[in-house]
Amino acid sequence: MNSYDIAVIHGDGIGPEVCGSAIEVLEAAFGGTSPLIFREWPGGAGHYLETGDGAPEATMQGCERAHAILHGAAGIPGVLKPDGTEAGVDIGLNMRTRLDLYVNIRTVKLLPGVPPRLVGVKPGEIDYRIIRENTEGLYASRGAGAVVRGETAVDMMIMTRKGVERVCRAGFELARKTDGAPADGKRRVTCCDKANVLRSMAFFRSVFDEVAADYPDVEADYSYVDAMTVHLMERPGHYNVIVTENLFGDIISDVGAATVGGMGMSPSAELGNSHGFFQAAHGSAPTIAGQGIANPYGTILSASTMLNWLAERHADGALAEAAARIEMGAAAALRNGVRTRDIGGQASTNEVTQAVISALRRPLRE
Ligand code: IPM
Ligand code: MN
C-alpha cells in the first residue's frame, strides 16, 4: 500500500478544532488502515507572537516535501506586521506563491439539509465552482506596495499572459468534467472581470477568449464583477465554472458561500502542478474559538477534495473511495440534521465529526 505524507498546519482560532475534526474523519474513512501520515507544522499569528515569524522556513519546506497540505485557519485580528498587514495570514499566502498554487477552486454547492438562504432555491439548484487565480492579480504586489510620505499608497495589479492563460485553461478543463450548470445543463465558463474599465482586465478577457477558442464544446460567458455579486444571488443556477482575478475571486467566493450556508460550508483547494493546499475558505473566527462549536464541514469537504486530488495524481483507487465515503458521510450527517449553530442547528464540532464518521462507515453501494 502507498503511504502519503500530509503536512498539517492547525493555525489560529478555530483552526485546530476544524483541522482536528477533518483528521479524525480522514482516518476513519480508511477504516483503521489509513495510508496517511500526518505531520504537524507551526504557523500563523500565534506563532508570530511567540517567535516573530508566522511562516517559518521549516514549515514551508515541510509542506513542500509533503504529498499534500491540510490547513485549519490562520490570523488573529490586531496581530499585525510593522507594515500594518496581518501577520497570521502569511503562511497561506506565502504557500501560494512559493508552491505556485495558481488555481484556487472554491465549490459553491447547496447541500440537502442546509437551510437555504435564498428564497425558493432548492438543493441541486446551486452547484458551481469559482476558480480564483491565486498567484497574481492584485495580490501579486503583497509586501511590495508603497506608501509615499504618508500621503499616497499604491499596490499594483499584475496580469501575465502565462498566469491568465493557465488559470483560464484550468477553468475549461474543469467544466468538461462537470455535468454543466443546474439551470440548463450547459457546460459554461464565465469570465468575471472589470474589462469595461481597466486595461489589465481587458487583457484578462482577451486571453480568456483565446483559450475559449480551444474549447468549442464549452460555452464562454462574461460578467463584470459588480454585476456578478447580484447574479450569484438572483440566478445562481446559471453558473457552472467562473474564472476570475485573485481579489475578485476572494470576494465573490464569500458571496457564493453566503448562498449555500455561509463560510462554514465553503471548501477550497489551492492547486499547482505539483502541490495541493487544502483548507476551508473561512477565517479563524476568534470570537467562537475554543468553545467546540465551530462548523467543521468546510474543512471536512476540503479534506475529501484532497483525497480526490491525491487519488488522481497517484492513480490510487483507495483514496478515491475514501473521498467518496467522506462526501457520503457529510451529506448523510447534514440530511440527518446534524448542524452547527451557523447553519441553524445546535450540534458541537465533535457531534458533527462523530455523525460524519458513523455515516461514512456504512456500505458505499447498497
Ligand atoms: C481566503 C482568505 C485569505 C485571502 C486571507 C486569510 C489572507 O480570505 O483564502 O479567501 O485573502 O486570500
Ligand atoms: Mn477570503
Side-chain angles (χ1 to χ4, degrees):
M1 189 170 71
N2 290 341
S3 71
Y4 302 93
D5 295 316
I6 311 298
V8 177
I9 307 164
H10 286 285
D12 307 303
I14 61 169
E17 296 163 66
V18 294
C19 211
S21 163
I23 290 173
E24 264 190 74
V25 169
L26 281 166
E27 295 275 16
F30 293 95
T33 53
S34 163
L36 307 179
I37 301 164
F38 295 98
R39 174 140 184 206
E40 296 180 5
W41 295 95
H47 197 69
Y48 178 84
L49 287 174
E50 280 165 35
T51 65
D53 188 359
E57 179 58 23
T59 295
M60 301 306 289
Q61 286 184 15
C63 291
E64 203 161 1
R65 284 193 306 266
H67 291 100
I69 306 153
L70 184 65
H71 182 235
I76 301 175
V79 179
L80 306 179
K81 294 183 291 184
D83 71 358
T85 64
E86 258 195 55
V89 298
D90 273 357
I91 185 78
L93 295 173
N94 289 0
M95 212 69 78
R96 289 174 184 170
T97 41
R98 169 101 167 230
L99 305 182
D100 201 20
L101 308 173
Y102 59 94
V103 172
N104 186 337
I105 304 176
R106 296 189 158 173
T107 302
V108 180
K109 184 173 181 175
L110 182 60
L111 297 171
V114 176
R117 296 195 177 178
L118 297 179
V119 177
V121 174
K122 293 188 278 301
E125 294 177 357
I126 306 181
D127 186 1
Y128 59 90
R129 294 126 210 90
I130 294 169
I131 298 197
R132 165 181 179 184
E133 199 296 319
N134 215 32
T135 55
E136 47 181 55
L138 203 46
Y139 275 44
S141 56
R142 183 178 66 94
V147 179
V148 184
R149 291 184 292 277
E151 298 288 346
T152 308
V154 60
D155 279 311
M156 262 177 304
M157 166 92 83
I158 312 281
M159 298 284 185
T160 66
R161 172 173 292 281
K162 176 184 163 202
V164 179
E165 218 245 53
R166 66 185 183 173
V167 81
C168 290
R169 201 164 286 287
F172 283 93
E173 291 292 330
L174 182 61
R176 275 190 176 162
K177 292 189 195 157
T178 70
D179 297 328
D184 57 9
K186 282 198 182 143
R187 296 201 172 89
R188 168 179 298 121
V189 181
T190 305
C191 180
C192 170
D193 59 38
K194 195 70 190 174
N196 50 341
V197 177
L198 295 171
R199 284 186 179 170
S200 57
M201 290 287 165
F203 174 74
F204 189 98
R205 188 178 285 208
S206 71
V207 176
F208 172 90
D209 281 335
E210 285 172 28
V211 175
D214 290 341
Y215 297 85
D217 50 317
V218 180
E219 185 181 296
D221 180 50
Y222 307 87
S223 177
Y224 298 133
V225 63
D226 47 348
M228 182 60 109
T229 61
V230 177
H231 296 325
L232 293 183
M233 301 286 168
E234 293 188 340
R235 50 164 197 174
H238 172 76
Y239 295 101
N240 177 201
V241 174
I242 298 166
V243 175
T244 192
E245 182 272 333
N246 206 334
L247 180 66
F248 290 175
D250 183 40
I251 296 168
I252 68 166
S253 61
D254 283 15
V255 175
T259 66
V260 295
M263 299 300 293
M265 297 305 303
S266 178
S268 148
E270 306 182 35
L271 310 175
N273 293 335
S274 48
H275 292 89
F277 181 89
F278 302 84
Q279 62 173 342
H282 59 65
S284 60
T287 54
I288 60 156
Q291 299 174 35
I293 58 170
N295 181 347
Y297 280 111
T299 312
I300 291 171
L301 294 170
S302 302
S304 87
T305 310
M306 175 179 86
L307 292 183
N308 273 325
W309 178 77
L310 283 169
E312 200 165 310
R313 279 176 67 74
H314 301 278
D316 187 337
L319 297 178
E321 180 175 328
R325 281 191 176 284
I326 294 177
E327 274 161 44
M328 182 194 74
L334 284 168
R335 268 199 318 272
N336 296 336
V338 186
R339 298 193 293 262
T340 43
R341 281 152 226 237
D342 55 311
I343 49 171
Q346 285 299 320
S348 65
T349 309
N350 187 47
E351 281 162 350
V352 171
T353 312
Q354 301 317 320
V356 173
I357 288 175
S358 73
L360 67 75
R361 293 213 163 110
R362 296 196 198 112
L364 261 186
R365 292 162 212 88
E366 307 268 278

